[in-house]
Amino acid sequence: MSSENVLAPASSRAPKAPFDVWKVREDFPILKTRIRGKPLVYLDNAATAQKPQAVLDALERFYLEECANIHRGVHFLSERATVDHEAARAKVQRFLNAKDAREIIFVRGATEGINLVAQTYGRKHVEAGDEVVVSAMEHHSNIVPWQILCEEKNARLVVAPMNDQGELLLDKFEKLMSPRVKFVALTQVSNALGTINPVQEIIRMAHQREIPVLLDGAQAAPHLGANVRELDCDFYAFSGHKLFGPTGIGVLYGKAALLEAMPPYQGGGDMISSVTFEKTTYNSLPFKFEAGTPNIAGAVGLGAAIDYLNRIGLENAAAYERELLAYATERISAIPRLRLIGTAREKVGVLSFVLEGVHPHDAGAMLDQQGIAIRTGHHCAQPVMERFKISGTIRASLAFYNTKDEIEALVAGIKEVREVFG
Ligand SMILES: *Cc1c(COP(=O)(O)O)cnc(C)c1O
C-alpha cells in the first residue's frame, strides 16, 4: 500500500488488501478506553469521528518541531510550517479531485464554509423576491446561514420535501426551481437519517437553469469521499473532525471562477495584498478568504487524516461499513416497538430510531452506563424531527472501526432499556 495512492476519481481507485477491522482499530488509541469499567462502544461518529495515531503524531510533530506562523516569516521554521500547510492544501485538493489548490479554502468547519458562501456569493447575488432552495433534511448549519441572508435581502427560503423514508422527492424538487431561484444548498448525506441524496441529478437540474449548487459534505466526505469535478458542484463544504482529523479545521471548495468574483468574507491579515487607509487590495485565491492566522496545526492534522484514509483505502472502508450497516439494520429492526427513522434505499451508517414509551434521553443515559456512546435529541436537524412528528431520536452512527460485537452490545443495551421501561 503506497501513500502515493491518493483518492483519485472513484472509478480509478484500485482495490486494496482486504479490510481488517481489528487491525484498523489498533490505529485508534481511544478505542481501548474503558467507560465505567466497560469497554467503550463509540457509536457517535456522525457527531465527531475518532482520530488515528497518525493524526495525533502529526499534531504533536507540528508543535514539537516546526511551530511558527506561516506566509510571512523568512526564518527556517516559518518556511517549513508554510510548506506543510500548503502541502495539506494539496492533499485536500487531491482528496476532492479539485482542479486547482486555489479552490481549497481552509475554514473552521462545514458551518463556517457555508456561512462564507451565504455572506459573500449570497449577499452579492440574492436580491429581494429571489429564492434559495434547501431540503427538508438539512442540518441547522445549512439552514440558518440562508435564513439570515434571506431575512437581510427580503428573499425567500424554499424547502424541498421528502417522503416518509427520508428520501427527497425529485419531481417536487425540480418544480421548485423557478427563475426566482438564485441558489441551491443541499446536504449530500443527512446526519439525522443517513440518506444519501441523488445530488448529481439535482446539480444537473439546477445547472440547466444556471443555478449554482452548494453541497454540504460534512457527512458524505467520511463515508463516500468526494469528487467535486465528477459531481460538478459549485461549492462543497466539509469538517475535518468528522473525517478523522482535528476539530477547528474544515474546507470550503469553490470553483475558481466563482471564488474570484466573490467579495472577501472576513478582513484582516493574510487576505490582503496591500493596505492603506484609503484603499485595500485583496490577496489572490485562496488567501483572499483566509483572514488572520489560520489553524496551521489543524490543517497539517487534516492532511495526515487524508493520508491515513488513502492508506487504508476509503473504498474498502466504505464497503465494510455498508456490510456493518446492513447487519445493524437487521438486528435493530428486530427489536419490538422500535421504529427506525430514515429508511432510504441509499444510506450511510446512521441508525436513528425511537423506542415506544421511552424518552430518547433516558435511553441514552442508560446506554452510557454501559459504555455505549450514542446521541439523542434532534441532531441539529429540528425540522427533520418535526417532519416525522417526534421530539428526537436515538442515533447510532457507524465508522469503519466499529464491529458486529459493538452492534451486539448496542442491541443488548436497548433490550436492557426495554426491561426497565417496559
Ligand atoms: C456536522 C454537520 C455540519 C456542521 O459541521 P461543523 O463541524 O459543526 O461545522 C453540517 N452539516 C452536516 C450534515 C453535519 O453533519
Side-chain angles (χ1 to χ4, degrees), residues 46-47 108-114 137-142 187-192 216-220 237-242 248-249 379-380 395:
R108 273 194 302 136
T111 302
E112 191 178 42
I114 297 166
M137 67 177 86
E138 299 307 319
H139 187 283
H140 295 164
S141 290
N142 200 30
T187 196
Q188 190 175 0
V189 168
S190 157
N191 68 309
D216 173 352
Q219 296 296 335
F238 73 92
S239 297
H241 70 99
K242 291 178 180 175
I249 186 77
H379 318 295
C380 294
R395 182 187 71 184

